[in-house]
Amino acid sequence: MSVLLSELNVGDKATIVAINLEEIPLKLIEMGCLPGNTVELLQIAPLGDPYYFNINDSHVAIRKETADEVVVEIENQLI
């Protein structure tokens, strides 16, 4: 099922399907935020922003506005 990166739940693993190159900072692309790479949501800040991800073995914090620009395909979903 394809969803936005910001719609993942803690523990979900997914594969990046598409990104909006005009809205994604170059630094995130350099760190592996590219289609085909895996991503796992590790934690969400107490106020709901930012999100803390493991993307292609790099740990990054991403704001919700940026996470809304990444489409992923969920691999597994915790209940």
Side-chain angles (χ1 to χ4, degrees):
M1 167 188 355
S2 292
V3 296
L4 297 176
L5 192 58
S6 61
E7 296 175 335
L8 293 179
N9 295 313
V10 174
D12 284 352
K13 293 183 181 181
T15 302
I16 299 173
V17 177
I19 60 173
N20 182 346
L21 288 173
E22 295 177 8
E23 298 297 326
I24 300 292
L26 181 59
K27 185 67 176 172
L28 279 180
I29 294 169
E30 291 172 348
M31 293 180 78
C33 188
L34 293 167
N37 287 341
T38 59
V39 60
E40 178 182 6
L41 179 57
L42 302 174
Q43 188 176 3
I44 301 173
L47 296 177
D49 193 18
Y51 298 88
Y52 186 57
F53 293 98
N54 179 356
I55 299 178
N56 206 34
D57 294 325
S58 295
H59 290 229
V60 296
I62 300 177
R63 294 172 54 197
K64 183 180 183 323
E65 299 92 42
T66 303
D68 286 340
E69 303 297 332
V70 179
V71 178
V72 297
E73 184 77 27
I74 297 177
E75 294 174 5
N76 73 325
Q77 217 171 8
L78 295 179
I79 298 173

